[in-house]
C-alpha cells in the first residue's frame, strides 16, 4: 500500500495536496462538495491585520487555458478570521496553513504575532500578489526587501514560515536565496503572472484594475521550470503550484522537487479536483510500485 504522507517543516501531512490561497476560501465554501479532511492541508485565503475591501469590479476574466483575477486580497481581517475560519478548520482532520498578507512589514508582523498562540501549523507569507499597489509587489521583486521582511516575520513567528515567491522577476533563484537567507523554513511558488485583457467590443479593460494575476494551465510550464530551478538551488522544502489540474501535473511537480503541491484555479472549474488528484496520485503509486513519494521526488 502506497504511503502518501509527507513532512513539511516538521509537520506531518497525510498526503501532498493542499489548495492555493484565495481559491478555496478557508474550506467552508467547498464543504458540501469536498471532504476537507481528505486534504493534506488547507491553505487559507489571505489574512490581513485589518479588513481589506479589495479592488473594484469586475475583478475576474477568462483567459485562454486559465483565468485572470484582480480581487485584491479582499478579506475581513485577522479578528474575524480567528472567530470564524479557525473554529471551522479545527473540526477537520487536516493541517492549517494561514496565508498572511500586508501593506507593510508592520502589517505582516502584526498578523504573525496575532497567530502566535493559535492552533495553526504553518504560515505562508504572501509577498508576491501583483494585484495590490503597495506592500506585496515591492517585497516580492526586490531580493533585499524580501530578505528583510522574511527576517522580521521570522523573529515573531512561532510556526514555520513559508515565503510565497512571485514569478514576476528576472531570476527566481535569486529570490529563493534571498528568502532562505532571511530565515524562510520553506518556499511556495509560483504566484500568478501579471497580465492584461482588453474587451475590444466595449473598448475597456476586462478587469477594472487594468491588470490582474494570470493563473491556470497556461502558466504550468513556467511554474514547473521555476519550481525545478528553486528546488535545485536552495535546501528548504518547496510547495509547487501553477496550473495543476490533475494527478499527472502533481506528479511532475513532485519529480521536479516539490514536497507538496497546491491546487488553485482548477477548484473553480471543478470543485472535486483535489479529491481526484489525491486519488490519482495514490493509484499511480500503487500501479508503479512506489511505496513512498521520496522515491520520485527530485528524480530529475
Amino acid at each position: 500500500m502506497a504511503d502518501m504522507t509527507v513532512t513539511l517543516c516538521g509537520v506531518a501531512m497525510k498526503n501532498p495536496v493542499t489548495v492555493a490561497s484565495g481559491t478555496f476560501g478557508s474550506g467552508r465554501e467547498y464543504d458540501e462538495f469536498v471532504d476537507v479532511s481528505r486534504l493534506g492541508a488547507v491553505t487559507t485565503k489571505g489574512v490581513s491585520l485589518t479588513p481589506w475591501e479589495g479592488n473594484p469590479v469586475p475583478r475576474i476574466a477568462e483567459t485562454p487555458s486559465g483565468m485572470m483575477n484582480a480581487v485584491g486580497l479582499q478579506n475581513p481581517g485577522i479578528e474575524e478570521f480567528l472567530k470564524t475560519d479557525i473554529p471551522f478548520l479545527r473540526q477537520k482532520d487536516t493541517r492549517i496553513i494561514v496565508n498572511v498578507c500586508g501593506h507593510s512589514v508592520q502589517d505582516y508582523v502584526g498578523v504573525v504575532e496575532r497567530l502566535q498562540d493559535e492552533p495553526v501549523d504553518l504560515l505562508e507569507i504572501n509577498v508576491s500578489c501583483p494585484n495590490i499597489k503597495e506592500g506585496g509587489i515591492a517585497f516580492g521583486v526586490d531580493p533585499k526587501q524580501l530578505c528583510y521582511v522574511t527576517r522580521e516575520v521570522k523573529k515573531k513567528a512561532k510556526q514555520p514560515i513559508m515565503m510565497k515567491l512571485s514569478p514576476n522577476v528576472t531570476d527566481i533563484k535569486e529570490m529563493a536565496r534571498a528568502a532562505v537567507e532571511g530565515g524562510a523554513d520553506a518556499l511556495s511558488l509560483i504566484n500568478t503572472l501579471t497580465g492584461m485583457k482588453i474587451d475590444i467590443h466595449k473598448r475597456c479593460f476586462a478587469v477594472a484594475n487594468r491588470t490582474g494575476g494570470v493563473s491556470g494551465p497556461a502558466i504550468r510550464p513556467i511554474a514547473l521550470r521555476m519550481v525545478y530551478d528553486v528546488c535545485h538551488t536552495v535546501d528548504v522544502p518547496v510547495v509547487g503550484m501553477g496550473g495543476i489540474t490533475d494527478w499527472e501535473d502533481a506528479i511532475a511537480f513532485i519529480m521536479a522537487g516539490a514536497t507538496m503541491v497546491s491546487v488553485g484555479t482548477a477548484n473553480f472549474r471543478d470543485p472535486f479536483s483535489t479529491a481526484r488528484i489525491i486519488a490519482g496520485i495514490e493509484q499511480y503509486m500503487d500501479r508503479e510500485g512506489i511505496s513512498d513519494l521520496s522515491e520520485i521526488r527530485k528524480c530529475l
Side-chain angles (χ1 to χ4, degrees):
M1 181 97 179
D3 180 7
M4 294 183 68
T5 60
V6 297
T7 301
L8 182 67
C9 301
V11 180
M13 314 278 186
K14 66 178 69 176
N15 62 63
V17 178
T18 184
V19 287
S21 174
T23 67
F24 204 75
S26 290
R28 286 182 295 162
E29 296 91 332
Y30 284 81
D31 197 32
E32 62 181 287
F33 303 106
V34 180
D35 179 4
V36 176
S37 294
R38 186 85 169 89
L39 292 166
V42 170
T43 304
T44 71
K45 60 189 175 184
V47 182
S48 56
L49 194 57
T50 57
W52 285 8
E53 291 185 5
N55 290 324
V57 296
R59 307 195 292 194
I60 295 177
E62 287 188 73
T63 63
S65 296
M67 64 179 285
M68 181 172 69
N69 91 85
V71 173
L73 295 169
Q74 177 181 339
N75 76 94
I78 184 64
E79 299 306 326
E80 184 63 25
F81 173 80
L82 294 178
K83 221 183 294 183
T84 58
D85 293 343
I86 293 298
F88 167 80
L89 287 171
R90 287 285 289 166
Q91 300 172 39
K92 306 298 179 180
D93 180 21
T94 187
R95 297 297 191 175
I96 304 171
I97 303 173
V98 178
N99 182 278
V100 177
C101 52
H103 288 306
S104 67
V105 173
Q106 291 71 30
D107 285 352
Y108 287 112
V109 169
V111 177
V112 168
E113 286 180 323
R114 192 66 186 82
L115 289 166
Q116 284 178 337
D117 299 317
E118 295 296 329
V120 301
D121 298 289
L122 292 102
L123 307 179
E124 181 183 57
I125 313 301
N126 183 4
V127 292
S128 52
C129 180
N131 301 330
I132 54 179
K133 293 183 173 64
E134 54 187 310
I137 188 67
F139 291 122
V141 300
D142 183 327
K144 291 182 180 178
Q145 288 295 308
L146 175 58
C147 182
Y148 171 61
V149 70
T150 304
R151 185 175 291 121
E152 294 304 302
V153 167
K154 182 64 178 174
K155 288 177 184 176
K156 300 295 183 180
K158 287 189 177 178
Q159 301 89 347
I161 64 167
M162 178 165 60
M163 305 306 288
K164 187 170 187 178
L165 301 185
S166 170
N168 301 303
V169 295
T170 303
D171 186 355
I172 193 70
K173 292 179 285 188
E174 179 184 22
M175 304 309 294
R177 285 190 289 263
V180 172
E181 181 185 344
D185 299 294
L187 302 173
S188 63
L189 65 151
I190 62 174
N191 207 327
T192 54
L193 287 150
T194 305
M196 177 183 287
K197 182 177 181 179
I198 293 174
D199 186 328
I200 62 169
H201 303 290
K202 295 181 180 178
R203 300 185 185 184
C204 66
F205 296 102
V207 295
N209 196 58
R210 297 189 180 185
T211 62
V214 180
S215 62
I219 73 167
R220 185 167 59 241
I222 300 166
L224 187 61
R225 187 269 298 176
M226 288 190 170
V227 166
Y228 177 87
D229 283 350
V230 168
C231 288
H232 288 76
T233 299
V234 295
D235 191 24
V236 298
V238 168
V239 176
M241 66 192 82
I244 294 173
T245 59
D246 58 33
W247 66 267
E248 292 174 297
D249 299 335
I251 291 294
F253 274 79
I254 292 169
M255 286 185 172
T259 297
M260 293 188 72
V261 295
S262 192
V263 181
T265 300
N267 290 309
F268 297 123
R269 183 179 58 84
D270 176 10
F272 304 101
S273 59
T274 50
R276 288 191 298 98
I277 289 170
I278 292 167
I281 293 172
E282 189 170 31
Q283 290 163 11
Y284 169 80
M285 292 176 70
D286 286 337
R287 191 165 59 247
E288 297 292 322
I290 299 166
S291 59
D292 189 289
L293 286 169
S294 62
E295 296 174 29
I296 59 169
R297 184 175 298 112
K298 205 174 177 181
C299 66
L300 299 171

